[in-house]
Amino acid sequence: MTQFALIRHGSTEWNKEKRSQGQTDNPLDQEGREQAVLLAERLSTESWDAIYASDLERASETAKIISERLGIDEIRLDPRLREMGGGQVEGTTEAERVAKWGPEWSSFELGQEAADAGTLRGSAAIEDICKEFPDGRVIVVSHGAILRNTLRGLVPALDISNKLSNTSITRIEKKAGSWACELYNCSVHLSSK
């Protein structure tokens, strides 16, 4: 059995501005760093074999804060864990999108990565990590949309309609060839702030 803690990165300025980040490489803001410290403290009560992360700064910085607290020297960066590509939408707010393309903007081809492509990319990354740690406990730090699409592929019955909160934990495990989710979008560690 392989167990995963799937983590969404800490907050960024663009999160607060409600700008689509996609694969734009933004750092954590101060609150995001504080969130990651609280998350690391929560994770420190358990034993972990490895940490994987998206190579985008907001995820890799979150992973670095966790790894320092857990004493895990290596963070394995995997570009397949990057956020869904946002095309022309990256860097814009909803109001800016409506002003530029109209209220039906989401029905236009604006270069965004398709959900199915994200499902395949994210699922393949998790399955490969699972092969490397067949009985391990692994932390994966990534991004909201790619994680939700990955979960859609691995645990199709899971309700992923709620967006993942910054530094939330979603726990999944693979046992006897099938995936199950035991915890979705949990951020109780932030209530100690």
Side-chain angles (χ1 to χ4, degrees):
M1 177 173 69
T2 307
Q3 297 177 306
F4 285 86
L6 305 179
I7 310 290
R8 183 182 175 210
H9 62 80
S11 74
T12 69
E13 287 301 324
W14 277 21
N15 286 144
K16 289 183 173 64
E17 295 170 6
K18 299 196 180 327
R19 290 189 182 281
S20 174
Q21 292 187 100
Q23 296 184 0
T24 301
D25 203 6
N26 292 318
L28 296 177
D29 60 17
Q30 186 55 39
E31 182 184 13
R33 290 181 194 97
E34 291 166 6
Q35 290 171 335
V37 167
L38 293 169
L39 170 65
E41 190 58 37
R42 176 181 178 181
L43 292 169
S44 73
T45 64
E46 302 172 68
S47 171
W48 299 97
D49 297 307
I51 299 177
Y52 282 77
S54 155
D55 59 347
L56 296 177
E57 185 177 358
R58 59 194 184 270
S60 62
E61 187 180 357
T62 302
K64 184 175 189 298
I65 291 167
I66 295 167
S67 72
E68 287 171 353
R69 177 64 181 90
L70 301 183
I72 296 175
D73 294 332
E74 181 185 10
I75 299 169
R76 301 164 190 233
L77 300 180
D78 189 332
R80 295 177 298 174
L81 298 171
R82 282 182 179 185
E83 182 58 293
M84 304 285 294
Q88 297 176 57
V89 169
E90 288 190 21
T92 65
T93 64
E94 177 71 18
E96 290 167 346
R97 293 188 285 275
V98 169
K100 187 168 187 174
W101 297 296
E104 304 299 319
W105 70 267
S106 62
S107 64
F108 299 152
E109 171 51 55
L110 298 171
Q112 296 116 307
E113 183 176 2
D116 288 346
T119 298
L120 291 172
R121 173 165 63 90
S123 297
I126 298 298
E127 291 285 5
D128 287 350
I129 296 168
C130 195
K131 286 176 193 154
E132 192 166 345
F133 293 92
D135 291 304
R137 302 188 78 241
V138 180
I139 295 168
V140 172
V141 184
S142 187
H143 309 266
I146 187 65
L147 286 174
R148 285 171 56 218
N149 279 300
T150 299
L151 288 163
R152 187 167 57 92
L154 297 176
V155 191
L158 181 65
D159 177 6
I160 57 166
S161 57
N162 289 332
K163 291 187 173 183
L164 296 172
S165 304
N166 290 113
T167 69
S168 66
I169 298 175
T170 296
R171 292 182 185 268
I172 61 172
E173 60 184 29
K174 188 172 190 181
K175 192 157 127 183
S178 108
W179 289 96
C181 179
E182 65 175 69
L183 184 70
Y184 181 75
N185 194 30
C186 180
S187 54
V188 295
H189 51 279
L190 299 182
S191 61
S192 64
K193 280 178 72 175

